[in-house]
Amino acid sequence: MRVVRSDRSSRIGSAVLIVLGLILATVPQFFVATVVQQLTSLFIFVILAVMWNALAGYGGLVSVGQQAFIGFGAYGTVFLAQRDVPPYLAVLLAAVASAVLAAVLAPLVLRLRGGQFAVGTWVVAETLALLVVLDHSLGGGTGISLRGLNVFTPDERRAYTYWLALAFLVLLLAAVFVLLRSRTGAGLQAIRDDEEAAASLGVRVWRMKAGLYVLAGFGGGAAGALILANTLFIEPRSIFGVQWTAYMLFMVLVGGLGTFEGPLLGALLFFGVQYFFADYDAWYLIGLGLTAGAFALFLPRGLWSLVQVRLLPVGYHLRRDGPGD
C-alpha cells in the first residue's frame, strides 16, 4: 500500500471547470440583465462558502465574524472611491486591504480557540461596524452609495461586475485547490484534527493558521466589495450583519464541510432557497439555522457525501501496489 494523489481525476475535474468558466464568461453577451446580476450574486455566495469552508472545514477555525471582512471590503471600496480611485480598482485594493487587516488581527484572534475564537471574531465585526456608524464621511448609520460606477451604463456596470466576480471566484477556487494539495493543506488538516499533536510533529501551527486566516480575509473583502458593486448601496447594519455567518453555515454544512465540492453545491441550494423564501425575514433565518443544525447532527459531511464522485480530489488516498509496482 502507498499514499498517492488523484492526479488523473484532478486533471479531468480541472478541465471541466475551465470549460465551464469559459462558458460563464460569455453570459453578459447573451443573457438579460437580471440573469447577469443574479449570477453575480451566486458567485459571491460561492466565494463566501468556499472561504468559510477553508477556515472551518480544513483549518478548524470556526468563525462567526467573517462579516468583518465583508463590511471592511465594501466600505474600503467606498473610502478609496471617495479619493478618486477608479471604482473597479478600488474593489481590488479593498480586497487586498482586507487581507492586510486579517494579517493585523491574526496575532490577536488566533490566540483564542474554539468558542472563544468564534466570539472574538464576532466582537471584531461589531467593533468595525460601530466605527463605520460613527464615521459620517462613510454615511454613518444611514448607508452610502458607490457613485463612481455611474460613469458606466447599467449594462456595462453589470457586465464588468460579473466578470470581476467570476475572476475572483476562479482565483480563490484555484488558491484553495493548490493549498489543499500541498503539504500546507495536509498540515492544516492535522491542526484541525489535533493541534497539539500536529505541533509535536513539527507542523508550523501559527504560521499556517495565520496564512489561512489572511486568505479568508481577502476572500471576504472581495465578496463585500462585489456586493457593493452589484447593489450600489450598503449600510452598516446589513453589510456587517451576523446573517452572513448564517448564510455561510448553511451553505457549508448542507453542501459538505471539509469537502472541496460541497460548498459549491451548498451555495447553489442556498441561492434557490433565498430566491423563494427571503421575504420571510426572521423565520427565513431561523429556518436556515435549524436546517444547518440538522445537517450537522445527522449528515455531518453534507449532501456531497451522498455523491460517490470527487470532481477535484484534494487529499491523498491509499493504493494497493500491483505485482509490477
Side-chain angles (χ1 to χ4, degrees):
M1 303 286 285
R2 57 175 172 168
V3 179
V4 296
R5 292 192 303 188
S6 302
D7 292 319
R8 183 173 182 274
S9 298
S10 298
R11 287 194 294 269
I12 295 173
S14 299
V16 170
L17 290 183
I18 290 172
V19 172
L20 179 60
L22 292 174
I23 294 172
L24 288 173
T26 65
V27 164
Q29 297 174 315
F30 299 104
F31 289 87
V32 297
T34 302
V35 172
V36 174
Q37 192 160 16
Q38 290 296 322
L39 281 177
T40 303
S41 297
L42 175 60
F43 295 161
I44 293 169
F45 288 142
V46 174
I47 289 172
L48 292 174
V50 169
M51 290 294 97
W52 199 86
N53 181 60
L55 271 181
Y58 290 106
L61 297 171
V62 180
S63 169
V64 295
Q66 290 307 104
Q67 62 270 20
F69 302 109
I70 297 173
F72 187 83
Y75 275 99
T77 302
V78 172
F79 178 84
L80 292 169
Q82 288 176 340
R83 283 146 184 82
D84 298 325
V85 177
Y88 286 114
L89 177 59
V91 169
L92 296 172
L93 294 177
V96 174
S98 297
V100 174
L101 175 64
V104 172
L105 292 173
L108 301 175
V109 298
L110 293 181
R111 293 176 180 269
L112 308 174
R113 295 189 185 182
Q116 292 179 334
F117 173 78
V119 173
T121 56
W122 174 77
V123 170
V124 169
E126 291 299 304
T127 302
L128 289 177
L130 180 59
L131 291 175
V132 169
V133 169
L134 296 175
D135 190 340
H136 295 291
S137 68
L138 294 176
T142 59
I144 194 168
S145 299
L146 184 60
R147 298 177 181 175
L149 289 179
N150 291 336
V151 299
F152 302 104
T153 66
D155 286 340
E156 288 175 339
R157 176 184 61 79
R158 279 186 287 265
Y160 295 152
T161 303
Y162 173 92
W163 284 322
L164 186 56
L166 180 60
F168 269 121
L169 175 57
V170 171
L171 173 65
L172 290 168
L173 282 174
V176 171
F177 178 71
V178 171
L179 175 69
L180 294 177
R181 284 180 59 84
S182 68
R183 294 182 63 182
T184 300
L188 284 169
Q189 294 175 69
I191 294 169
R192 174 198 63 192
D193 296 335
D194 192 324
E195 186 169 322
E196 286 76 15
S200 69
L201 293 173
V203 176
R204 297 179 177 180
V205 173
W206 191 88
R207 182 179 296 183
M208 289 188 178
K209 289 168 63 174
L212 187 63
Y213 189 68
V214 169
L215 175 63
F218 175 83
L226 290 167
I227 289 169
L228 172 61
N230 199 36
T231 62
L232 297 181
F233 179 82
I234 51 169
E235 53 96 14
R237 186 179 61 178
S238 62
I239 200 67
F240 285 104
V242 75
Q243 78 274 3
W244 293 108
T245 293
Y247 297 164
M248 289 182 275
L249 277 168
F250 178 89
M251 291 185 286
V252 174
L253 292 179
V254 171
L257 179 68
T259 66
F260 186 83
E261 302 89 351
L264 309 182
L265 175 61
L268 282 171
L269 292 174
F270 173 74
F271 181 74
V273 168
Q274 188 191 53
Y275 183 82
F276 290 105
F277 299 107
D279 292 337
Y280 289 90
D281 297 327
W283 288 108
Y284 164 64
L285 292 176
I286 291 171
L288 289 180
L290 291 175
T291 302
F295 270 86
L297 289 173
F298 302 110
L299 193 62
R301 299 292 290 179
L303 291 176
W304 192 256
S305 65
L306 303 177
V307 181
Q308 301 300 317
V309 176
R310 300 183 68 191
L311 296 179
L312 287 170
V314 293
Y316 297 80
H317 68 277
L318 291 175
R319 188 173 74 185
R320 188 182 301 277
D321 291 334
D325 292 331

